[in-house]
């Protein structure tokens, strides 16, 4: 049943998060293990917790022609698109293939909901959104993708995937299918989620927010630290790549069929997604050099995931969560961690599992508690979301002059 | 562009005045609409879940169950794509009201119901489905974009895929702005075309604007009042055998749907 997937080239990618703007800032923070988390200073009466906030969004402006989409989430998208020459790379691809031969698939969990929240705080006559926010373009979960499609002048399929914390990992799977089927020649994938009351108070209501900076896989972890981020990648057929030698080998997807807001403790669904990606990529667990874990610092995710790693992988596979640095960026976590995984492959280093002081006893020798420098060829990234939505991505660094 | 060829194994539809695919057949045959129903059965959910689930989930589960029954398939290995232009507007309205007034009083259940993949979550839990599930949107083009995504999954992975597209009535200040005035959901079960006697459709991305054969006036009203009712030209094709239609698949892209003739 499994269709084999041709590897795709990741010809450009970028990330913007609390660690900074663009790949260099991320690489530097990862190498220094410098966390971007700060004490919550978001909003008028902030919850006592820590957040991964992107500085400068309040003063970021969109070009005038995109004014209808102006809101925090789309400003973050714009800031992200302007890093690492990404706009120029998409421009070149558009000239090469034509606007309708490029797809756009973006993940987000809350899109521009913060603008709707603000509108409700400033209702006119207790019944109408205020005039400055009476813009249909921002009160819809498709706000992000509609804006980015306009900003990048993409005329092919445009889809928002909103499956909570797996959103911007699943975009790779959708893009791969469209390219494999010949519907498009290239795809821009990515995701953006920004800080808003819905997620801060929502996860707080579920008692999942840590009062201190999150500590993934620590025995004394107390929950997640919410962050915001934007990330994008350009996927093309391998023959288009002359530079990066970075490959998407495959995407695995599954559902937990367990619970709306907690993972299956047995990790059956997560394992299905892992086996799916290994199968599609045509690789064995022994070939996996590194896994960027979902590692949210919630009790249940980390317990499930540590057990999953111990059950499936040899100790030569190094694993870590980087959410202690970025925070959990929810619908953007998939793309930010894909970018970190690609950086790790490119630079030949395993980012240490930031934030943990006393490892959970369930954690085996696979865990890299500090940075480790080693050449790597294949790495995975895990994303598991509410509603039991699981996605695992496999990336590779091709040797120069050959295809993996 | 290349065409994706799929067959339609099952169809579900629910709106207060159109409670299943047979009702659409009757409407297209010129019969009068029946008295509006108030709430979908959503019998696939346990009683407890039916109480906890918002209306958006009930509509999605109802149409999914109808399509599944028509196809004769089982749900536990069926990939699914749940599309909705706006998600659960009533839950969004509730969340924004509480967050404006007393944010620490937010209900944890209503928060987890607020995710766009709530229907996909309830469905996969209710049917013990561990196959891939997705939740997507594309504004007014959510049905066409969801159809392209579901057909791509079917053709790329040679598997059957459930597509659901549903939206509910808007409430509060958000509802006033969005103007979604009626609940409407539809579902299709698609698999790669085999010419085995089931209706087949070929989907091709085109730069054309949406167009379709004439529909009863009430269908046009539903299409104005709910983005998920954009499925009606395709559902009518399946009933009447119209040759083709073009659905919106994005702001700029159309999706031409052409009926395959059975050999």
């Amino acid at each position: 049943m499994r269709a084999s997937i041709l590897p795709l080239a990741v010809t450009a990618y970028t990330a913007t998060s609390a660690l900074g703007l663009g790949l260099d800032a991320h690489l530097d923070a990862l190498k220094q293990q410098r966390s971007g988390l700060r004490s919550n200073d978001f909003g008028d009466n902030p919850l006592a917790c820590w957040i991964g906030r992107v500085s400068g969004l309040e003063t970021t402006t969109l070009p005038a022609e995109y004014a209808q989409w102006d809101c925090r989430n789309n400003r973050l998208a714009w800031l992200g698109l302007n890093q690492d020459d990404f706009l120029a790379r998409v421009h070149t691809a558009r000239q090469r293939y034509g606007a309708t031969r490029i797809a756009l698939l973006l993940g987000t969990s809350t899109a521009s909901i913060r603008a709707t929240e603000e509108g409700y705080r400033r209702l006119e006559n207790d019944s109408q959104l205020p005039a400055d926010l009476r813009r249909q373009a921002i009160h819809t979960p498709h706000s992000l993708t509609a804006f980015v499609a306009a900003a990048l002048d993409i005329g092919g399929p445009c889809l928002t995937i909103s499956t909570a914390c797996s959103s911007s990992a699943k975009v790779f799977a959708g893009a791969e299918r469209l390219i494999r089927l010949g519907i498009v020649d290239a795809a821009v994938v990515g995701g953006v989620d920004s800080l808003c009351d819905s997620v801060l108070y929502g996860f707080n209501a579920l008692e999942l927010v840590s009062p201190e900076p999150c500590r993934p896989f620590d025995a004394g972890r107390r929950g997640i630290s919410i962050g915001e981020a934007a990330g994008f990648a350009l996927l093309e057929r391998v023959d288009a790549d002359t530079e990066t030698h970075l490959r998407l080998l495959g995407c695995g997807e599954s559902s937990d069929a367990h619970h709306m807001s907690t993972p299956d403790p047995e990790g059956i669904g997560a394992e299905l997604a892992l086996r799916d990606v290994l199968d599609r990529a045509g690789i064995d667990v022994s070939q996996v050099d590194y896994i960027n874990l979902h590692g949210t610092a919630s009790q249940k995710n980390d317990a499930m995931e540590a057990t999953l790693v111990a059950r499936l992988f040899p100790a030569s596979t190094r694993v870590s969560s980087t959410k202690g640095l970025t925070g959990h960026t929810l619908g953007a976590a998939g793309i930010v961690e894909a970018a970190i995984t690609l950086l790790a492959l490119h630079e030949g280093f395993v980012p240490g599992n930031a934030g943990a002081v006393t490892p959970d006893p369930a954690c085996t020798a696979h865990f890299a508690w500090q940075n480790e420098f080693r050449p790597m060829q294949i790495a995975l990234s895990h994303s598991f979301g509410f509603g039991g939505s699981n996605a695992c991505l496999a990336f590779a660094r091709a040797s120069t002059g050959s295809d993996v | 562009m290349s065409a994706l060829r799929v067959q339609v194994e099952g169809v579900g539809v629910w709106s207060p005045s159109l409670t299943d695919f047979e009702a659409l057949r009757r409407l297209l045959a010129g019969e009068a609409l029946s008295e509006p129903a108030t709430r979908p059965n959503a019998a696939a959910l346990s009683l407890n879940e039916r109480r906890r689930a918002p209306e958006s989930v009930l509509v999605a589960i109802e149409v999914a169950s109808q399509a599944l029954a028509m196809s004769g398939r089982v749900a536990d290995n069926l990939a699914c794509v749940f599309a909705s232009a706006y998600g659960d507007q009533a839950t969004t309205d509730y969340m924004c009201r509480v967050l404006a007034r007393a944010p620490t009083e937010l209900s944890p259940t209503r928060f987890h119901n607020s995710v766009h993949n709530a229907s996909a979550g309830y469905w996969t839990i209710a049917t013990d489905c561990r196959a891939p599930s997705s939740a997507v949107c594309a504004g007014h083009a959510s049905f066409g974009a969801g159809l392209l995504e579901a057909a791509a999954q079917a053709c790329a992975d040679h598997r059957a895929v459930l597509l659901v597209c549903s939206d509910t009535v808007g409430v509060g200040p958000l509802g006033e702005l969005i103007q979604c005035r009626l609940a409407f959901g539809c579902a299709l079960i698609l698999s790669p075309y085999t010419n085995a006697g089931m209706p087949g459709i070929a989907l091709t991305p085109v730069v054309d604007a949406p167009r379709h054969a004439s529909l009863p006036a009430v269908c046009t009203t539903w299409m104005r009042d709910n983005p998920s009712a954009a499925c009606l030209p395709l559902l009518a094709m399946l009933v009447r055998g119209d040759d083709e239609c073009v659905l919106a698949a994005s702001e700029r892209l159309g999706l031409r749907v052409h009926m395959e003739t059975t050999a």
Side-chain angles (χ1 to χ4, degrees):
Chain A
M1 283 294 285
R2 281 282 161 266
S4 67
I5 159 181
L6 292 169
L8 292 177
V10 183
T11 52
Y13 65 108
T14 184
T16 288
S17 74
L19 297 183
L21 314 182
L23 294 177
D24 286 347
H26 282 75
L27 188 59
D28 186 57
L30 288 163
K31 287 194 167 165
Q32 307 294 325
Q33 288 279 289
R34 187 181 66 244
S35 174
L37 298 178
R38 63 166 105 173
S39 182
N40 185 7
D41 57 357
F42 187 76
D44 295 334
N45 185 22
L47 278 174
C49 63
W50 290 65
I51 57 171
R53 181 173 184 169
V54 176
S55 300
L57 288 178
E58 292 70 20
T59 53
T60 301
T61 52
L62 301 185
E65 64 261 45
Y66 309 129
Q68 62 166 327
W69 284 293
D70 185 35
C71 64
R72 185 181 186 87
N73 206 60
N74 289 335
R75 290 180 186 189
L76 178 51
W78 184 242
L79 197 59
L81 286 170
N82 278 280
Q83 310 306 319
D84 296 307
D85 233 8
F86 194 78
L87 286 173
R89 306 304 291 270
V90 174
H91 180 73
T92 304
R94 201 174 54 238
Q95 287 189 317
R96 177 173 184 174
Y97 302 115
T100 59
R101 296 290 300 173
I102 303 179
L104 176 67
L105 295 98
L106 299 180
T108 185
S109 68
T110 50
S112 42
I113 193 72
R114 183 174 177 275
T116 316
E117 294 170 1
E118 185 191 338
Y120 273 67
R121 283 197 299 271
R122 298 198 275 116
L123 288 180
E124 288 174 3
N125 309 317
D126 203 32
S127 65
Q128 280 201 328
L129 295 172
D132 59 311
L133 291 174
R134 287 183 64 76
R135 291 178 270 136
Q136 288 197 349
I138 52 170
H139 301 288
T140 156
H142 193 53
S143 159
L144 164 71
T145 314
F147 162 61
V148 174
L152 297 180
D153 186 24
I154 286 177
C158 291
L159 191 68
T160 300
I161 298 186
S162 186
T163 53
C165 306
S166 64
S167 303
S168 61
K170 286 173 77 79
V171 293
F172 285 89
E176 184 276 320
R177 287 187 287 264
L178 292 176
I179 295 173
R180 175 149 46 103
L181 291 165
I183 300 290
V184 293
D185 297 311
V188 173
V189 297
V192 183
D193 251 340
S194 49
L195 291 167
C196 60
D197 285 353
S198 295
V199 294
L200 285 161
Y201 287 98
F203 282 104
N204 181 62
L206 287 166
E207 300 178 342
L208 287 172
V209 176
S210 174
E212 56 184 17
C214 70
R215 292 189 276 155
F217 297 103
D218 189 288
R221 64 187 178 275
R222 298 173 70 184
I224 69 174
S225 297
I226 293 170
E228 60 189 349
F232 301 94
L234 177 62
L235 303 177
E236 299 176 71
R237 292 201 179 82
V238 166
D239 57 15
D241 178 39
T242 52
E243 259 179 72
T244 71
H245 307 293
L246 293 168
R247 302 284 180 264
L248 171 69
L249 291 187
C251 318
E253 299 174 272
S254 74
S255 307
D256 264 7
H258 175 71
H259 190 271
M260 280 302 291
S261 57
T262 58
D264 177 358
E266 305 294 321
I268 297 168
E271 181 171 338
L272 283 172
L274 259 176
R275 293 201 181 279
D276 189 27
V277 72
L278 295 171
D279 193 15
R280 286 168 186 270
I283 54 173
D284 182 77
V285 288
S286 66
Q287 293 172 269
V288 177
D289 296 306
Y290 170 61
I291 308 174
N292 187 288
L293 300 175
H294 190 52
T296 60
S298 79
Q299 293 295 333
K300 289 179 176 169
N301 175 80
D302 290 9
M304 177 277 286
E305 207 174 9
T307 311
L308 180 68
V309 166
R311 185 164 76 232
L312 292 186
F313 291 91
S316 56
T317 301
R318 312 302 293 157
V319 307
S320 66
S321 164
T322 46
K323 286 192 173 72
L325 304 177
T326 58
H328 187 354
T329 61
L330 307 176
I335 187 70
V336 167
E337 288 157 28
I340 289 173
T341 304
L342 290 164
L343 274 177
L345 281 171
H346 188 260
E347 298 290 320
F349 91 105
V350 171
N353 186 92
V357 179
T358 310
D360 188 294
C363 295
T364 43
H366 303 77
F367 279 76
W369 301 107
Q370 267 110 40
N371 288 347
E372 298 173 5
F373 293 83
R374 59 172 70 206
M376 293 191 288
Q377 203 170 24
I378 294 178
L380 309 183
S381 176
H382 286 178
S383 297
F384 307 132
F386 267 22
S389 177
N390 306 311
C392 297
L393 304 175
F395 295 101
R397 183 179 189 193
S399 338
T400 311
S402 76
D403 291 331
V404 170
Chain B
M1 292 190 186
S2 346
L4 300 177
R5 300 170 81 219
V6 291
Q7 58 195 13
V8 180
E9 298 190 8
V11 185
V13 64
W14 193 91
S15 189
S17 301
L18 193 75
T19 54
D20 57 22
F21 193 46
E22 276 311 305
L24 180 63
R25 284 185 197 280
R26 291 196 297 274
L27 172 65
L28 293 174
E31 293 181 33
L33 294 170
S34 45
E35 280 298 300
T38 51
R39 217 174 133 86
N41 288 331
L45 294 180
S46 67
L47 276 176
N48 199 26
E49 280 185 323
R50 232 177 299 170
R51 270 194 299 271
R52 284 156 55 101
E55 189 203 7
S56 62
V57 171
L58 300 180
V59 173
I61 300 286
E62 170 63 23
V63 294
S65 301
Q66 289 180 17
L68 185 74
M70 191 188 293
S71 74
R73 286 188 178 267
V74 288
D76 65 4
N77 59 4
L78 190 63
C80 50
V81 175
F82 285 76
S84 173
Y86 297 110
D88 192 285
Q89 293 187 71
T91 299
T92 307
D93 177 69
Y94 157 84
M95 297 263 300
C96 291
R97 277 189 190 282
V98 172
L99 290 171
R101 181 178 50 80
T104 54
E105 292 175 15
L106 197 67
S107 148
T109 302
R110 298 205 69 175
F111 171 60
H112 82 220
N113 282 344
S114 75
V115 294
H116 200 71
N117 61 323
S119 295
Y122 276 96
W123 173 256
T124 51
I125 292 167
T127 60
D128 201 25
C129 170
R130 292 196 173 91
S133 56
S134 196
V136 302
C137 64
H140 72 95
S142 292
F143 175 73
L147 177 61
L148 179 59
E149 165 68 15
Q153 285 195 23
C155 294
D157 284 352
H158 311 290
R159 70 189 307 166
V161 178
L162 163 68
L163 167 68
V164 171
C165 188
S166 54
D167 278 284
T168 46
V169 180
V171 292
L174 182 63
E176 192 261 342
L177 180 72
I178 287 175
Q179 298 281 313
C180 191
R181 300 190 186 89
L182 118 135
F184 195 102
C186 64
L188 299 172
I189 290 178
L190 306 172
S191 60
Y193 186 60
T194 58
N195 196 11
M198 275 179 265
I201 50 177
L203 307 173
T204 315
V206 289
V207 287
D208 306 7
R211 62 169 187 267
H212 57 82
S214 173
L215 291 170
V218 68
C219 292
T220 312
T221 305
W222 292 337
M223 289 167 71
R224 183 196 66 201
D225 290 347
N226 186 308
S228 290
C231 66
L232 281 165
L234 169 55
L235 300 195
M237 276 174 67
L238 295 172
V239 172
R240 304 188 300 204
D242 306 341
D243 188 43
E244 69 169 38
C245 67
V246 175
L247 305 167
S250 81
E251 275 305 309
R252 293 163 61 177
L253 195 71
L255 188 64
R256 187 172 70 228
V257 184
H258 184 84
M259 281 296 272
E260 298 279 42
T261 43
T262 311

